[in-house]
Amino acid sequence: MPDQPIPEQQLNIELSEEMADGEYANLAIITHSFAEFVIDFVNVMPNVPKAKVKSRIVMTPQHSKRLMKALIDNVKRFEAQYGNIKDQENTAMPFNFGTPTAQA
């Protein structure tokens, strides 16, 4: 009996109107344990000493690696279409945003 192809299953993903607006984040803090990765998305604003976590995503190590590969693939496709994304790795994040350093 020949092998029958397995029919592809479709996944319907719902996106609520509220969720479709998204949340802006300009900082991601990533921590991990042996069982999970935690990614906190934060919106840091100039001259504001506090920043709130806008969203927290908890993933398995396997899903984290799949996310990493998907991001790499999407960045490559983006750069092929729009040009290189300027890397600002050497730029330190000014957490005080030019405000005076606190002193005790």
Side-chain angles (χ1 to χ4, degrees), residues 69-88:
K69 287 179 179 180
L71 282 170
I72 289 169
D73 181 55
N74 276 267
V75 167
K76 285 179 182 176
R77 287 192 275 145
F78 177 94
E79 289 183 328
Q81 185 172 356
Y82 300 108
N84 286 345
I85 299 170
K86 191 174 183 180
D87 189 2
Q88 297 182 346

Side-chain angles (χ1 to χ4, degrees), residues 24-83:
Y24 179 78
N26 54 10
L27 176 66
I29 299 170
I30 303 170
T31 55
H32 65 275
S33 70
F34 74 95
E36 60 200 14
F37 277 69
V38 178
I39 309 171
D40 287 329
F41 293 95
V42 182
N43 184 2
V44 179
M45 298 299 291
N47 299 317
V48 179
K50 278 188 167 182
K52 288 188 177 182
V53 172
K54 297 305 232 169
S55 182
R56 171 175 275 189
I57 305 298
V58 182
M59 307 173 89
T60 65
Q62 294 81 7
H63 283 107
S64 298
K65 192 166 187 175
R66 289 175 65 189
L67 173 63
M68 179 190 70
K69 287 179 179 180
L71 282 170
I72 289 169
D73 181 55
N74 276 267
V75 167
K76 285 179 182 176
R77 287 192 275 145
F78 177 94
E79 289 183 328
Q81 185 172 356
Y82 300 108

Side-chain angles (χ1 to χ4, degrees), residues 92-103:
M93 175 76 99
F95 284 105
N96 65 357
F97 293 99
T99 59
T101 305
Q103 296 179 358

